[in-house]
Amino acid sequence: MKTSDFDFDLPKEQIAQHPLSQRDHSRLLHFDRKSSKISHLKFYDLTNILDDGDCLILNDSRVLPARLYGKNSKTGSSIEYLLLNQKEKDVWEILCKPAKRAKPGELFNFSNILKSKVLEILEDGKRLVKFEYDGDFYNILDEIGQMPLPPYITEKLEDKEQYQTVYSQKIGSSAAPTAGLHFTQHMLEKLKNKGVNIGYLTLHVGLGTFRPVKVDDIEKHKMHSEHYYLPKKTSDLIKNTKDNGKRVFSVGTTSCRTLESVWKKHGHICEDSGFTDIFIYPGYKFEVIDGLITNFHLPKSTLIMLVSAFAGYENTMNVYKTAVKEKYRFFSFGDAMVIT
């Protein structure tokens, strides 16, 4: 298949610039794969779709406030850092702009509580830098760091927690697992009271999730690699759910990719950790999930390709066409869909 097969027209005004004040009041499009029926609901109606004994698998990764604004210690010129990967204690791989100012040996100061030295220039213009500070590095990031919002969001975020799921725990993502942004603690409790079981895994989302597919033939696309951990408690929950004839719902493409990666690696679901660069596109045979909860994704992205693999290509493109026509809100802070 061609990358252009996954293109669609989207009016700019349908790109959500901010989250709703009530997370679970976003719209929810329900697509039933058996009947091909499309229903227009609210996200809190998900409690009527899930049954007693079904399970939800959530990604509990927490977004790092990884965008830093600083000054050159000598010249005072401005610099912007975006933290990517921690290589060793206090040594990070970063993106920066303007990159020409970040030469090896240059020193930068961030809010007078964090300093850095550029160690070397890496491929793709990335830098390796070492930080100096007093206290706890992550507390400092919480104080002065900004959320690394995707480039299509141009409005300022009022509260950093708006770009975190209410169940986020393990810090390390460069972007939020956005399908989970719709859940509230009250809704999770309501689902539990109905008998829906909830399990957690961790996949730290990389900035590669925003990268468009640049090759014409999608099979030639190389996915970025991301770290995951699937606990035994969650793998046991999935096995028990399957044994009881109930459904496993993945909340987001990140949870889906983790589960399918573990199955591909071992031939069954079990506790596991590692890195995955699995690329799921039409023709893929799903082994674990029975339902998918996800947002509406960018044209020509690996995310819409994964959705197309699960719902069917023609079905997915028709659903997206319908969502545009019905004026759903798209992308990270947008509305959601559930595929059963």
Side-chain angles (χ1 to χ4, degrees):
M1 298 187 75
K2 300 296 183 183
T3 301
S4 57
D5 293 334
F6 298 89
D7 198 8
F8 63 91
D9 293 323
L10 178 69
K12 188 177 179 180
E13 60 267 21
Q14 284 180 246
I15 300 175
Q17 291 296 315
H18 53 81
L20 298 183
S21 57
Q22 293 179 281
R23 292 175 181 246
D24 59 355
H25 279 56
S26 60
R27 296 172 73 187
L28 179 70
L29 186 150
H30 177 202
F31 177 71
D32 186 313
R33 291 182 294 167
K34 290 183 179 179
S35 66
S36 296
K37 180 183 177 183
I38 295 175
S39 303
H40 303 290
L41 310 168
K42 290 288 190 179
F43 194 79
Y44 52 70
D45 292 320
L46 187 64
T47 54
N48 300 321
I49 295 172
L50 294 164
D51 298 326
D52 178 18
D54 288 343
C55 76
L56 280 175
I57 305 300
L58 309 174
N59 181 4
D60 65 4
S61 183
R62 188 167 174 81
V63 185
L64 194 70
R67 197 179 298 278
L68 297 168
Y69 297 92
K71 302 281 187 181
N72 186 292
S73 299
K74 291 182 179 179
T75 67
S77 58
S78 298
I79 195 79
E80 178 186 331
Y81 276 14
L82 184 59
L83 307 187
L84 298 178
N85 298 304
Q86 185 176 16
K87 292 301 186 181
E88 55 186 90
K89 180 171 170 52
D90 301 331
V91 176
W92 285 75
E93 181 183 356
I94 68 156
L95 286 172
C96 60
K97 63 180 182 181
K100 62 182 180 181
R101 292 180 181 169
K103 298 174 182 176
E106 292 288 348
L107 303 174
F108 294 95
N109 185 14
F110 302 87
S111 300
N112 295 318
I113 58 175
L114 183 67
K115 296 180 180 180
S116 81
K117 180 178 181 179
V118 179
L119 301 180
E120 61 178 287
I121 300 176
L122 306 175
E123 60 178 332
D124 298 330
K126 298 171 186 174
R127 265 54 173 179
L128 197 66
V129 302
K130 184 170 185 177
F131 288 103
E132 293 182 14
Y133 53 90
D134 292 323
D136 182 85
F137 182 71
Y138 292 103
N139 287 341
I140 292 172
L141 284 186
D142 275 337
E143 182 179 343
I144 66 172
Q146 299 296 318
M147 282 300 179
L149 295 178
Y152 49 75
I153 295 177
T154 57
E155 293 186 10
K156 186 174 176 59
L157 197 63
E158 294 179 5
D159 180 359
K160 290 180 185 178
E161 287 302 311
Q162 291 178 306
Y163 197 54
Q164 305 279 17
T165 63
V166 297
Y167 48 80
S168 63
Q169 292 288 333
K170 316 286 193 328
I171 195 162
S173 277
S174 299
T178 54
L181 293 177
H182 305 281
F183 286 95
T184 63
Q185 291 293 359
H186 175 73
M187 186 175 172
L188 291 171
E189 286 301 319
K190 191 173 181 181
L191 287 163
K192 290 178 185 176
N193 291 337
K194 186 178 179 179
V196 176
N197 297 303
I198 296 175
Y200 297 92
L201 54 77
T202 305
L203 181 136
H204 291 314
V205 188
L207 285 176
T209 191
F210 299 126
R211 288 184 190 146
V213 177
K214 295 182 178 179
V215 294
D216 291 331
D217 183 351
I218 65 172
E219 293 185 25
K220 294 180 180 179
H221 176 68
K222 180 73 171 84
M223 285 288 285
H224 56 288
S225 182
E226 297 165 317
H227 188 264
Y228 69 87
Y229 172 56
L230 178 64
K232 184 176 186 300
K233 184 177 180 180
T234 303
S235 66
D236 288 345
L237 170 61
I238 293 169
K239 285 187 280 190
N240 291 336
T241 302
K242 293 283 193 182
D243 289 345
N244 292 328
K246 298 296 184 177
R247 299 174 296 175
V248 175
F249 279 77
S250 166
V251 177
T253 57
T254 59
S255 295
C256 171
R257 292 177 64 244
T258 301
L259 297 176
E260 296 296 328
S261 294
V262 172
W263 183 283
K264 184 179 179 181
K265 181 177 176 181
H266 297 283
H268 60 93
I269 285 294
C270 59
E271 180 180 12
D272 190 44
S273 66
F275 287 85
T276 179
D277 60 359
I278 190 172
F279 180 22
I280 297 176
Y281 54 87
Y284 179 86
K285 183 178 183 294
F286 288 83
E287 300 288 357
V288 185
I289 71 168
D290 305 294
L292 176 65
I293 299 164
T294 187
N295 282 16
F296 293 97
H297 304 294
L298 276 76
K300 300 191 283 189
S301 65
T302 61
L303 306 179
I304 191 175
M305 293 173 188
L306 184 152
V307 173
S308 297
F310 189 67
Y313 170 74
E314 296 291 346
N315 291 333
T316 299
M317 301 314 291
N318 180 54
V319 163
Y320 269 64
K321 184 178 179 180
T322 301
V324 171
K325 181 181 177 182
E326 295 294 327
K327 299 192 182 304
Y328 275 72
R329 301 165 77 241
F330 275 65
F331 307 159
S332 296
F333 286 141
D335 296 315
M337 66 184 296
V338 56
I339 307 166
T340 57

